Amino acid sequence: MLDVVVIGAGQAGLSAAYYLARHGLVPETDFVVLDANPAPGGAWLHRWPSLTLGAAHAVHDLPGMKLPRSDPDEPAAAVVSRYYESYEKAFGLPVHRPVKVLAVRTLVADSAMLFPEDDAGLPADIAGPPLVVETNRGSYETRLVINATGTWDKPYWPYYPGKDVFAGRQLHTHDFRSVTELAGQRVVVVGGGTSAVQFLLQLSESGVETAWTTRRPPEFASREFDPNWGRDVERQVNERTAAGLPPLSVVGVTGLPLTQQYQNGIAAGTLVSRGPLQRLTASGALFEDGTTFDADVVLWATGFRAALDHLAPLKLREPGGGIVMDGVKVAREPRLLMVGYGASASTLGASRAGRAAALAALDRLSVSV
């Protein structure tokens, strides 16, 4: 039986694995990392090719190894995949891939298995029946799980009247690949986050006519995005998860950075919202102010939700729809630690959350650090 299974090999999962190994757990013997992707890179592996390193959100360093200097015009997906691969090899991290986790549940064991001898000295809440992690390539029995699955596999498609009658193409950020696919078309971009803004600028530069629709006026923030700002953002997001409410998106708390590029987009009219979308029609969009826009494509830049379906057997949800968290600890299940949910869903806090989860796991296993 393993001590820890880490699910997910993105920034948070690799950070957790690094600290587990650093503080004495033996790779493969004591812990493994399960990754559904065919190659290193986490969610970055799936970013559209036109998202270059220079245009992407900051790629934060993993613990113990800085991101090498890279060409800002190189696709971010390639840069991060190469970096993560080097990282896994440098620290001998036991990443198994591609392994898709199907479910995590408590192992049903006979009475002789409830309190095995090697559980002596462990806290009562993790002694006894282990968790079983069921995958498409077999099952893993473990005392603890660190879940670091993030959000990429759970794109959010909001409901609006008329979605089923719109005659054009609809696609989500998850499926976007290149602006060349949309050349010569008219595009409605839905969403108030960074991806929406980046799409609008790329499409405009390619001569594509766009309309931007947001539920609320876009919030461009001119304050410096320093460590104090990051901690304040995490605090606001964590207040909701501590109460068992579904987390807000991080950009919903941060606003958008008012860079020179964004200022130019506002001045050109590209980054000016048409206001809330009322409905789609067969030929385009009707906005709440009564104006319309004929469109060939609706691009839903509406974000993602935490990819947690595999944890459903553990019955973690509260009546409000969220999961009560104390930092990275899950109130309802002491054998589960969770990163990539709430504040740590952003690269702002993923490495720190991975470290916190690893240290919490080591503490539960009575491993001194």
Side-chain angles (χ1 to χ4, degrees):
M1 181 169 63
L2 294 161
D3 285 327
V4 183
V5 169
V6 180
I7 305 175
Q11 182 181 344
L14 292 181
S15 174
Y18 168 86
Y19 285 106
L20 291 175
R22 180 181 178 183
H23 292 295
L25 293 197
V26 179
E28 296 292 354
T29 301
D30 295 333
F31 78 98
V32 297
V33 183
L34 307 181
D35 183 23
N37 289 309
W44 287 97
L45 194 65
H46 307 286
R47 302 294 186 181
W48 50 98
S50 59
L51 179 64
T52 61
L53 185 65
H57 290 297
V59 178
H60 292 260
D61 293 335
L62 290 164
M65 179 187 287
K66 290 187 176 296
L67 175 71
R69 187 180 298 275
S70 304
D71 181 355
D73 293 326
E74 186 177 2
V79 173
V80 177
S81 181
R82 188 169 61 243
Y83 174 41
Y84 282 16
E85 181 177 21
S86 298
Y87 189 84
E88 292 173 13
K89 290 180 178 178
F91 295 107
L93 301 182
V95 181
H96 296 193
R97 66 167 58 89
V99 177
K100 181 175 177 58
V101 174
L102 306 175
V104 178
R105 63 181 82 248
T106 299
L107 179 68
V108 177
D110 59 41
S111 58
M113 288 288 294
L114 290 181
F115 296 97
E117 290 182 6
D118 60 359
D119 278 357
L122 295 180
D125 58 6
I126 69 166
L131 293 172
V132 57
V133 180
E134 300 173 357
T135 81
N136 63 334
R137 297 178 64 179
S139 296
Y140 299 76
E141 294 179 17
T142 181
R143 291 189 174 89
L144 299 172
V145 166
I146 296 177
N147 192 80
T149 47
T151 62
W152 183 257
D153 293 329
K154 197 80 169 178
Y156 174 61
W157 295 75
Y159 172 75
Y160 280 92
K163 281 187 69 175
D164 55 343
V165 302
F166 176 63
R169 180 186 179 192
Q170 299 185 53
L171 74 158
H172 191 277
T173 301
H174 182 276
D175 306 305
F176 179 86
R177 291 295 174 266
S178 171
V179 294
T180 58
E181 297 179 7
L182 308 178
Q185 301 183 69
R186 291 166 57 88
V187 181
V188 174
V189 178
V190 186
T194 305
S195 293
V197 170
Q198 291 174 344
F199 290 146
L200 287 158
L201 292 174
Q202 288 187 47
L203 290 166
S204 178
E205 289 170 1
S206 299
V208 176
E209 189 172 353
T210 62
W212 187 22
T213 175
T214 58
R215 289 183 300 162
R216 296 180 297 275
E219 296 182 17
F220 289 95
S222 57
R223 68 167 290 179
E224 183 179 356
F225 285 22
D226 56 19
N228 288 332
W229 164 82
R231 284 189 286 270
D232 184 54
V233 168
E234 290 179 17
R235 178 187 58 77
Q236 294 181 61
V237 176
N238 284 333
E239 284 176 355
R240 289 182 60 87
T241 55
L245 298 172
L248 296 174
S249 66
V250 172
V251 76
V253 179
T254 65
L256 296 159
L258 190 56
T259 64
Q260 186 60 54
Q261 183 187 32
Y262 290 2
Q263 291 182 53
N264 295 342
I266 294 169
T270 304
L271 300 185
V272 177
S273 174
R274 298 281 292 266
L277 176 66
Q278 183 179 103
R279 64 177 297 114
L280 295 178
T281 65
S283 59
L286 170 65
F287 305 105
E288 285 196 357
D289 65 1
T291 62
T292 61
F293 181 82
D294 289 339
D296 304 293
V297 178
V298 176
L299 176 50
W300 297 95
T302 45
F304 299 79
R305 297 293 184 265
L308 303 177
D309 290 356
H310 57 288
L311 301 179
L314 299 177
K315 302 185 187 313
L316 306 175
R317 297 284 182 182
E318 300 295 325
I323 298 171
V324 174
M325 302 288 298
D326 177 10
V328 297
K329 299 176 182 177
V330 180
R332 283 183 178 266
E333 178 48 79
R335 296 168 296 177
L336 175 67
L337 299 154
M338 199 150 65
V339 294
Y341 179 80
S344 60
S346 166
T347 56
L348 287 168
S351 287
R352 288 200 303 276
R355 177 179 183 272
L359 295 180
L362 293 164
D363 179 65
R364 290 187 181 279
L365 295 167
S366 300
V367 176
S368 59
V369 297

